[in-house]
Amino acid sequence: MKIGIPRALLYYRYDTLWKTFFRELGIETVLSPVTDKTILDEGSLYSIDENCLSSKLFFGHIAALEGRCDAVFVPRIANYGKDGILCSRFEALYDMAVNTFRDKDLHFVTCDIDLQQKKSEQKAYTALAMELGKTKAEAYKAYETAKSAAAESQQKKIQAQQQLLDKDGIKILIVGHSYNLYDEYIGKPIIKNLHDLNAVPLLADAVDLKQARQDYTSICRDVPWIMNRELVGAIAQYHDAVDGIILITAFPCGPDSMLNEMIIRRIKDRPILNLLLDSQDGNAGIETRLESFVDIIRFRKEAAI
Ligand code: SF4
């Protein structure tokens, strides 16, 4: 049995958890290739116009797995409890994938997380493993091992970022969902561009996520979506250590557009650049804006000396 994992959306949050979980179960996984123009075009073909860029990419990555695996893993995550909702796309994704690719040679497996319906993460992964022919004990052990590996990986990410804080240079916090920041086609070029401009990019997902989910209230009190709380919490944690903030949003993301507006209104003592990513070819416009942004920060710092 070979499970396909689309290299998009929640993969960038749960990659260690998923890879360790399947490996512990003795199940081989295959990742879709890194994003390129073909994957974006395919994703756009399978999506309605109203889909955000990130979910268009997701569908492109599913299409890229056709013929390369026995089943594609698409989790359904409705919520993490009454006070922990996610963007509604994460609840709908599995049904959308099954329906969109119904005429293709693609099968899907899921895990159904919905704490409001008493379906915990642990129960969901155990049920998935048992559906794949494993015993309850094997499932439980694989899940526990995967959770520990994921926690360790997050800790390493935080430690690596702490070392960047000691570096000289203009430090810029990039605030965006990990699936946008780490995507080779839409997010990574921005990070590379900042390096080329001799700035030090810091990423908003390198935080203690639990702590960030508490810290967000110092900036905005009402943030319904759990992942957006983490992003705002990251700003609260890194605010004093950075010279500027870049907000990255995939068009047309409802949660981010509302939150970004609030962040811009509340944070007045740091320059903020708001970048909206769409399906554009090339990054020339973005590069110019990044260069101006870094120049402005540099001039302000020099003027303050
Ligand atoms: S939060 Fe925004 S970018 Fe993420 S899946 Fe939802 S609409 Fe798309």
Side-chain angles (χ1 to χ4, degrees), residues 200-257:
V200 181
L202 302 166
L203 304 184
D205 70 329
V207 283
D208 179 332
L209 296 174
K210 200 171 167 196
Q211 186 64 45
R213 291 197 288 271
Q214 293 168 10
D215 292 350
Y216 79 97
T217 51
S218 66
I219 297 175
C220 309
R221 294 206 72 76
D222 298 312
V223 182
W225 307 280
I226 199 164
M227 289 193 211
N228 289 84
R229 283 183 196 162
E230 291 166 1
L231 294 179
V232 179
I235 297 178
Q237 287 186 20
Y238 282 111
H239 174 275
D240 294 346
V242 298
D243 303 295
I245 297 167
I246 296 179
L247 307 174
I248 293 186
T249 300
F251 180 80
C253 172
D256 285 9
S257 55

Side-chain angles (χ1 to χ4, degrees), residues 98-115:
V98 170
N99 192 43
T100 303
F101 294 98
R102 62 188 179 279
D103 297 330
K104 298 282 173 187
D105 183 22
L106 279 163
H107 304 279
F108 293 91
V109 288
T110 192
C111 68
D112 187 7
I113 300 168
D114 187 343
L115 265 68

Side-chain angles (χ1 to χ4, degrees), residues 41-192:
D41 289 346
E42 278 279 290
S44 302
L45 203 71
Y46 286 112
S47 307
I48 54 169
D49 284 349
E50 288 72 21
N51 271 10
C52 65
L53 176 62
S54 320
S55 50
K56 283 180 184 166
L57 289 179
F58 184 77
F59 285 107
H61 279 274
I62 292 181
L65 285 166
E66 189 177 6
R68 301 182 60 205
C69 58
D70 301 300
V72 179
F73 176 53
V74 181
R76 173 186 178 270
I77 307 183
N79 58 73
Y80 284 107
K82 175 164 67 63
D83 198 28
I85 64 165
L86 281 80
C87 165
S88 54
R89 284 182 211 277
F90 296 115
E91 182 173 2
L93 222 47
Y94 173 72
D95 293 320
M96 285 166 72
V98 170
N99 192 43
T100 303
F101 294 98
R102 62 188 179 279
D103 297 330
K104 298 282 173 187
D105 183 22
L106 279 163
H107 304 279
F108 293 91
V109 288
T110 192
C111 68
D112 187 7
I113 300 168
D114 187 343
L115 265 68
Q116 289 184 24
Q117 299 297 323
K118 302 200 184 329
K119 295 175 187 172
S120 68
E121 189 181 79
Q122 188 198 72
K123 274 188 190 166
Y125 280 96
T126 305
L128 168 62
M130 290 170 73
E131 191 189 320
L132 295 171
K134 307 298 168 187
T135 65
K136 196 169 183 179
E138 287 167 338
Y140 183 76
K141 185 169 171 284
Y143 173 74
E144 289 300 315
T145 307
K147 281 299 270 186
S148 303
E152 197 179 316
S153 158
Q154 182 66 14
Q155 209 46 46
K156 280 189 185 148
K157 194 186 275 186
I158 297 168
Q159 282 163 3
Q161 183 133 298
Q162 289 301 321
Q163 287 173 6
L164 292 181
L165 288 174
D166 297 331
K167 277 188 145 189
D168 290 334
I170 290 171
K171 296 187 187 71
I172 297 178
L173 180 65
I174 311 184
V175 181
H177 296 290
S178 51
Y179 43 83
N180 295 328
L181 300 186
Y182 294 107
D183 185 272
E184 292 285 342
Y185 194 69
I186 62 170
K188 283 270 186 80
I190 294 173
I191 297 171
K192 181 181 176 305

